[in-house]
Amino acid sequence: MPAARESLLDAAYAALARRPWSAVRMVDVAAAAGVSRQTLYNEFGSKEGLARALVRREADGYLVGVERALTTHGDARERLTATAEWTASSARENALVRAMLTGCWSERLPSPTLSAVPSSSAVPAQRRADGPLPSPGDFVALVRDRAVTVLAGPHVQKSDVVDLARSCELAVRLALSCVAAPPGEGGVVDLVRGALHRQPV
């Protein structure tokens, strides 16, 4: 029931924008999605299951945007700059992405445990959501490794891959620093471009 699941996740995300997670009621999420409360429980099992699924969806959406940024036109520096810009803008616009990337979960947000939880769900998407959720360090590694894979051509020397990995991680960590302490004029783009200009990419 993918359409109902997405509608429920959309309704939960919209409810979270209006009130703290502790005040979000399952019955209201179901009503906003136009489905029964039983459908909601069949899909997610519990409010904790709904929270895990919502966090997983936002994490996946962030990583899809990373992939898009890494495959834009331009050289490696421009692609890493686009990735850093996407990271900073996603975190600025989405409180769940910001919490996942920084590990700073406010009391307004659901804060599911990052480790896997026992799952008896018959819904494959929920079994995945019940698996381990990425930590901030996991995100850095995921983005760095994906960037290296995309940017390192088939003829790149092993020593060059090490340098590329450092540059990729630098771009991601600079973007995360901009999430924690937003830069002034020029923003993340100027900061990352300037740092990468001095790096082998």
Side-chain angles (χ1 to χ4, degrees):
M1 188 179 294
R5 186 176 180 85
E6 281 304 305
S7 295
L8 286 162
L9 290 170
D10 288 343
Y13 187 83
L16 184 58
R18 294 188 303 274
R19 64 183 70 95
W21 183 251
S22 60
V24 172
R25 298 181 335 141
M26 297 288 270
V27 65
D28 297 334
V29 171
V35 301
S36 70
R37 192 169 50 165
Q38 187 60 50
T39 298
L40 173 61
Y41 281 101
N42 289 346
E43 198 66 35
F44 301 102
S46 65
K47 188 174 179 182
E48 171 70 11
L50 175 61
R52 291 185 72 82
L54 184 58
V55 168
R56 170 60 67 186
R57 182 182 77 161
E58 299 309 305
D60 290 346
Y62 164 71
L63 292 170
V64 166
V66 165
E67 186 74 26
R68 196 171 37 248
L70 286 169
T71 55
T72 58
H73 297 292
D75 64 13
R77 284 183 181 88
E78 287 305 309
R79 292 177 186 202
L80 286 174
T81 300
T83 302
E85 189 173 27
W86 165 252
T87 296
S89 68
S90 295
R92 190 171 45 251
E93 296 164 10
N94 186 321
L96 285 173
V97 171
R98 183 171 48 257
M100 285 184 283
L101 292 176
T102 63
C104 298
W105 294 84
S106 81
E107 60 191 34
R108 288 191 51 84
L109 300 175
S111 55
T113 60
L114 296 180
S115 58
V117 298
S119 182
S120 58
S121 179
V123 179
Q126 189 58 38
R127 286 196 306 271
R128 181 170 179 265
D130 288 340
L133 297 170
S135 69
D138 293 335
F139 277 110
V140 170
L142 284 166
V143 175
R144 178 202 61 219
D145 294 348
R146 186 62 192 136
V148 169
T149 299
V150 170
L151 300 176
H155 308 295
V156 173
Q157 301 283 335
K158 187 166 185 132
S159 61
D160 293 337
V161 171
V162 171
D163 289 339
L164 178 60
R166 280 193 199 109
S167 295
C168 293
E169 184 158 339
L170 173 65
V172 176
R173 290 189 180 278
L174 279 172
L176 292 179
S177 75
C178 292
V179 169
E185 192 175 326
V188 67
V189 172
D190 286 352
L191 184 66
V192 172
R193 277 187 184 144
L196 290 177
H197 182 69
R198 295 182 289 279
Q199 295 293 314
V201 180

